[in-house]
């Protein structure tokens, strides 16, 4: 068994997790592309976090990171999410505007059944979308939960941020707000594909179990896991989402997360994605982190906030991400959530950038059940690509 080693000795000394964490030894160079090695050169703050790292304007190498669909989905166009965002960032556009234009591509792409139009519907067959965004320099945030009828909830999240005194609007009120802001409200955001998958799932479960939350969870989850094993839906699309974070040359950091949430969820279930601190957290002075994967596991520990706090204390993005994954592992004790090895039977993934432009993508598991590696999207001066997520635990969640 290989062992994960924390990059930053300070965080290693503080948390003494080195021996407890079973995962891959990292190739450190991989995480320093576009960044500064070990935080020495640009004056990262000490472990107390008393001082934000001072970043010279124009000195950071811009980078955008996202979940893998930020590289693979193009909605029939030329550019993917991370390229679109990166190109705007290096042009000098606002970082959050650039990121949101990027995730709009995925929200509109019917081939991505985990985000926006054509996203997985809830148990009643209705697509309900969650999103939030945070603007590091402006220290502003906005989100929507269980929003129906609007293809690009990230735009509505930004309107909540820019045009209201609030951070989160949900359900019917979020739709009313969107209508009042001029958004077209559609009757149904299912694509033919998402509707067909829902019908398949519905056929497999016993709806009478709806009255028994525990049995229903098992029945619904088993049906979904069978569909994943049969190759009917990709594992990513069960919990799927896109998180996208970016930084420009001046060190301006922003992030956005958008999703249709857990496939076939109980109507109005809201996961981690629109919750500040869970699906996304940005502190303009220290960094950004966002997630995909099982939202409930992340919500319980507000792990994006935890990651940014770790970076504030001086941790490298990779160490900070690993600390959050370890927390999730520690908090997962219910039998129904454990596999035969006694480990979480799901994955959670985080995409992290710090103020210096150092970045990392981490996951509870580095492989899907199929054995394929889990990857995330990166775009920097070397172009758009997929890189392996760094795992906490070996193998896959099954
Ligand atoms: N992470 C997406 C969700 O759980 O809704």
């Amino acid at each position: 068994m290989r062992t994960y080693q924390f990059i930053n000795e300070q965080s290693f000394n503080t948390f003494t997790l080195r021996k407890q964490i079973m995962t891959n030894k990292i190739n450190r160079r991989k995480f320093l592309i576009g960044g500064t090695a070990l935080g020495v050169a640009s004056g990262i703050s000490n472990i107390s976090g008393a001082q934000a790292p001072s970043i010279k304007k124009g000195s950071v190498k811009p980078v955008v990171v996202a979940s893998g669909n930020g590289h693979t989905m193009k909605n029939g166009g030329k550019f993917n999410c991370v390229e679109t965002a990166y190109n705007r960032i290096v042009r000098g556009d606002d970082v959050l505007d650039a990121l949101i234009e990027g995730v709009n591509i995925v929200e509109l792409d019917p081939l991505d059944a985990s985000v926006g139009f054509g996203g997985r519907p809830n148990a009643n067959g209705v697509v309900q979308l969650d999103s939030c965004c945070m603007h590091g320099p402006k220290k502003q945030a906005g989100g929507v939960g269980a929003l129906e009828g609007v293809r690009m909830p990230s735009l509505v999240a930004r309107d909540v941020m820019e045009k209201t005194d609030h951070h989160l609007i949900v359900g019917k009120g979020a739709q009313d707000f969107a209508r009042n802001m001029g958004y077209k409200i559609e009757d149904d955001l299912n694509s033919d594909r998402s509707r067909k998958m829902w019908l398949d799932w519905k056929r497999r479960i016993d709806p009478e179990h709806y009255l028994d939350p525990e049995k229903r969870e098992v029945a619904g989850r088993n049906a979904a896991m069978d569909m994943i094993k049969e190759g009917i839906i990709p594992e990513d699309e069960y919990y799927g989402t896109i998180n996208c974070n970016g930084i420009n040359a001046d060190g301006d950091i922003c992030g956005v997360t958008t999703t249709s949430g857990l496939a076939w969820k109980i109507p109005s279930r809201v996961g981690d994605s629109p919750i500040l601190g869970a699906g996304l957290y940005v502190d303009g002075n220290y960094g950004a982190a966002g997630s995909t994967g099982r939202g409930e596991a992340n919500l319980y520990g507000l792990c994006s906030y935890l990651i940014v706090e770790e970076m504030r204390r001086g941790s490298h993005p990779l160490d900070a991400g690993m600390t959050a994954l370890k927390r999730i592992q520690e908090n997962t004790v219910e039998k129904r959530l454990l596999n035969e090895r006694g480990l979480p039977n799901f994955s959670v993934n985080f995409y992290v950038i710090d103020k210096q432009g150092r970045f990392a993508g981490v996951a509870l598991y580095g492989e899907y059940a199929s054995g394929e590696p889990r990857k995330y999207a990166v775009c920097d001066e070397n172009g758009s690509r997929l890189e392996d997520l760094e795992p906490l635990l070996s193998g896959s969640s099954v």
Side-chain angles (χ1 to χ4, degrees):
M1 193 80 71
R2 290 181 298 166
T3 306
Y4 173 73
Q5 276 188 305
F6 279 71
I7 283 178
N8 187 320
E9 279 306 306
Q10 287 178 325
S11 61
F12 162 71
N13 288 334
T14 303
F15 299 107
T16 58
L17 288 171
R18 188 182 208 162
K19 291 224 159 48
Q20 301 165 29
I21 294 180
M22 298 172 297
T23 185
N24 293 340
K25 204 170 218 169
I26 57 157
N27 172 351
R28 296 181 180 190
R29 272 193 315 140
K30 185 168 74 176
F31 297 96
L32 301 172
I33 294 168
T36 310
L38 300 176
V40 175
S42 55
I44 193 167
S45 74
N46 61 33
I47 194 165
S48 70
Q51 239 185 336
S54 58
I55 298 297
K56 207 168 142 237
K57 272 191 179 290
S59 69
V60 177
K61 286 185 178 169
V63 64
V64 176
V65 298
S67 37
N69 45 0
H71 176 83
T72 50
M73 296 293 157
K74 292 186 175 176
N75 192 29
K78 194 164 164 218
F79 296 109
N80 62 29
C81 164
V82 290
E83 286 166 332
T84 301
Y86 181 80
N87 290 340
R88 282 195 62 177
I89 286 172
V90 295
R91 252 183 8 224
D93 291 349
D94 179 82
V95 174
L96 184 57
D97 289 347
L99 299 176
I100 288 177
E101 187 179 333
V103 298
N104 288 163
I105 293 169
V106 187
E107 289 174 321
L108 292 176
D109 194 332
L111 291 180
D112 191 309
S114 72
V115 177
F117 172 69
R120 296 254 174 257
N122 65 23
N124 290 351
V126 178
V127 177
Q128 292 183 322
L129 303 174
D130 304 329
S131 181
C132 74
C133 60
M134 293 187 78
H135 197 293
K138 292 182 184 167
K139 300 205 178 290
Q140 292 179 344
V144 287
L147 171 63
E148 296 177 16
V150 181
R151 291 183 181 218
M152 293 179 280
S154 60
L155 296 177
V156 188
R158 184 174 57 191
D159 275 347
V160 171
M161 179 185 91
E162 289 179 344
K163 298 173 184 166
T164 79
D165 183 36
H166 309 307
H167 284 334
L168 184 60
I169 303 180
V170 304
K172 176 74 168 55
Q175 191 186 63
D176 290 344
F177 172 75
R179 184 185 294 105
N180 292 338
M181 290 295 125
Y183 291 86
K184 181 177 169 198
I185 309 297
E186 298 181 57
D187 286 342
D188 187 1
L189 292 183
N190 275 289
S191 61
D192 290 346
R193 181 164 174 257
S194 65
R195 199 183 335 274
K196 186 167 171 302
M197 299 299 134
W198 175 79
L199 277 169
D200 200 339
W201 176 80
K202 199 74 177 167
R203 184 169 49 76
R204 290 167 188 246
I205 65 161
D206 179 356
E208 283 175 15
H209 285 150
Y210 198 86
L211 297 176
D212 181 334
E214 201 163 326
K215 280 186 190 156
R216 184 189 174 281
E217 159 70 15
V218 173
R221 185 180 158 81
N222 286 350
M225 291 304 132
D226 286 347
M227 290 171 72
I228 290 168
K229 275 187 214 137
E230 289 168 32
I232 294 170
I233 59 164
E235 196 177 326
D236 263 352
E237 289 186 1
Y238 184 52
Y239 296 117
T241 297
I242 182 167
N243 161 248
C244 185
N245 307 315
I247 186 167
N248 68 11
D250 291 343
D252 295 342
I253 307 176
C254 297
V256 58
T257 302
T258 176
T259 189
S260 54
L262 178 68
W264 315 306
K265 60 199 175 188
I266 289 178
S268 294
R269 172 267 188 189
V270 170
D272 56 337
S273 300
I275 304 300
L276 307 179
L280 175 69
Y281 195 72
V282 179
D283 183 320
N285 294 336
Y286 297 98
S291 67
T292 59
R294 183 178 155 78
E296 281 72 8
N298 178 22
L299 266 173
Y300 194 80
L302 291 177
C303 290
S304 291
Y305 181 74
L306 173 62
I307 290 169
V308 174
E309 280 300 286
E310 288 298 305
M311 292 194 289
R312 195 168 71 84
R313 292 161 65 92
S315 291
H316 185 281
L318 181 56
D319 289 348
M322 286 295 167
T323 297
L325 292 172
K326 185 70 186 155
R327 183 73 58 86
I328 288 173
Q329 185 194 349
E330 285 165 1
N331 285 338
T332 305
V333 296
E334 285 186 68
K335 198 163 177 289
R336 70 190 173 92
L337 297 174
L338 299 174
N339 61 24
E340 283 170 5
R341 292 186 285 158
L343 297 170
N345 60 15
F346 54 83
S347 194
V348 180
N349 322 299
F350 294 103
Y351 316 93
V352 190
I353 298 181
D354 74 6
K355 184 73 177 169
Q356 300 151 273
R358 303 182 303 178
F359 60 90
V362 300
L364 265 179
Y365 296 98
E367 292 174 14
Y368 294 103
S370 64
E372 290 288 306
R374 291 180 188 271
K375 292 181 181 284
Y376 73 113
V378 178
C379 191
D380 58 14
E381 60 189 352
N382 299 315
S384 168
R385 60 193 178 276
L386 288 172
E387 293 201 3
D388 288 349
L389 286 162
E390 188 65 27
L392 176 69
L393 302 167
S394 61
S396 77
S397 61
V398 293

